[in-house]
Amino acid sequence: MPGANGHKHLLSISELDSEEIYKLLDSARSFAEVSNRPVKKVPALRGRTIVNLFLEPSTRTRMSFEVAAKRLSADVMNFATSDSSLSKGESLKDTGKTIVAMGVDAVVIRCKSAGAPHLLTGWVDCSVINAGDGMHEHPTQALLDLFTMRERLGGLEGLNVAIVGDIDHSRVARSNIHALNKVGAKVMLVAPRSLLPERVEEMGARVTGSLDEALDWCDVLYLLRIQMERVNQSRFPSLREYTLQYGLTQTRWNRLKRKPLVMHPGPMNRGVEIASGVADEVESVITGQVSAGVAVRMAVLYDVLGGSHG
Ligand code: CP
């Protein structure tokens, strides 16, 4: 039985149209039901082998791809730089070819280099899924975010979504902007100029420097982490200053008469982009995103491996 769209790879949201996004979200809704059963397993990918090739740290994405693959009855191998021959200087090309020579059906890759998942498709004949490549895209994160908004708010078309923080370094923001535009939601980006990419006006979103303006407008407030590993603090005067201007502080939250759905891709910097008390208050949505990640990744794995390409 073919998957939702029958694509061989998932490299970016840009390659999906609105209908394909909705098919994946519908498929994820069916798979979410599997996670609520006492026996959380279906035989959909029995006999298939999936490798998690994670060359950058990850908690949520790596674990949820592993759980998703196991719930579909696939065999899973986990692979990290530190315990592999990559640490001895082996190239990604040779590593990919070595993995696939073992009869692997799909590689899920997280890496620092934008475009590496695309390159990998030229070196291996199995499916490749992008689990976050540098500052480029994180397509399954955007899909799980859309899934969460749709389930919580009833629909996506016409939703006002404000994305706040380090837009420049954020693959999550890029994938979400593409995805939200495709399904007819409206996007506002909230950040100091120094954390916005060049040519931001071409991204299909309104831009503001005022979090309070965004809070008046939005149905969903999507907070991003300040990426300490990619940004140095010269981009803004101090973390304290950033929090005062762009953080969802307790005072700001308490003042709101109409509270938006607050989302965060994780990991959170409590006390920076979100006050710890607010994070606790909205925890069910943020952990809901994590649960949605399993269902969405089941849908994506089934899409790339359940059809004729598998
Ligand atoms: N949201 C996200 O990608 O989290 P991880 O880095 O923990 O996978």
Side-chain angles (χ1 to χ4, degrees), residues 90-285:
E90 187 169 47
S91 68
L92 178 62
K93 180 176 179 175
D94 290 333
T95 300
K97 283 178 174 289
T98 303
I99 290 171
V100 171
M102 296 178 202
V104 162
D105 298 293
V107 175
V108 178
I109 176 169
R110 152 83 54 107
C111 55
K112 282 193 172 63
S113 311
H118 178 76
L119 281 177
L120 194 58
T121 62
W123 298 327
V124 299
D125 62 7
C126 69
S127 292
V128 176
I129 298 170
N130 181 2
D133 60 332
M135 289 157 45
H136 175 224
E137 278 228 29
H138 193 348
T140 57
Q141 178 70 46
L143 290 169
L144 75 89
D145 292 331
L146 263 58
F147 182 90
T148 305
M149 291 177 209
R150 188 187 190 202
E151 299 302 306
R152 299 264 173 172
L153 301 175
L156 298 168
E157 202 171 344
L159 269 189
N160 290 342
V161 181
I163 304 178
V164 188
D166 184 3
I167 312 287
D168 191 19
H169 293 92
S170 179
R171 56 194 174 209
V172 171
R174 275 181 190 77
S175 288
N176 263 297
I177 295 165
H178 287 310
L180 288 163
N181 276 322
K182 282 172 194 257
V183 298
K186 285 171 265 170
V187 184
M188 184 184 274
L189 304 177
V190 190
R193 189 69 197 85
S194 57
L195 290 178
L196 289 168
E198 281 177 29
R199 308 212 317 240
V200 66
E201 59 287 348
E202 294 169 18
M203 292 179 85
R206 282 171 63 188
V207 178
T208 180
S210 163
L211 178 55
D212 293 317
E213 179 193 342
L215 283 166
D216 281 343
W217 171 84
C218 71
D219 305 301
V220 178
L221 186 74
Y222 194 100
L223 299 170
L224 296 171
R225 179 174 72 90
I226 292 290
Q227 300 192 27
M228 301 300 185
E229 70 278 25
R230 295 188 222 272
V231 67
N232 67 43
Q233 283 195 34
S234 62
R235 299 262 193 141
F236 43 85
S238 69
L239 273 184
R240 189 172 168 278
E241 189 64 27
Y242 177 85
T243 301
L244 283 175
Q245 297 248 11
Y246 298 99
L248 187 56
T249 59
Q250 193 70 56
T251 314
R252 205 169 244 135
W253 178 247
N254 292 346
R255 230 178 21 226
L256 288 176
K257 291 197 176 66
R258 188 181 69 99
K259 304 234 193 281
L261 188 75
V262 177
M263 297 176 62
H264 195 301
M268 278 187 285
N269 290 318
R270 283 174 183 254
V272 180
E273 67 268 10
I274 186 166
S276 195
V278 182
D280 290 337
E281 221 177 297
V282 301
E283 191 190 335
S284 71
V285 182

Side-chain angles (χ1 to χ4, degrees), residues 44-50 73-76 103-105 304-307 309-310:
L45 296 184
R46 189 161 50 205
R48 301 304 181 91
T49 303
I50 295 163
S73 305
D75 297 317
V76 190
V104 162
D105 298 293
V304 300
L305 289 178
H309 300 296

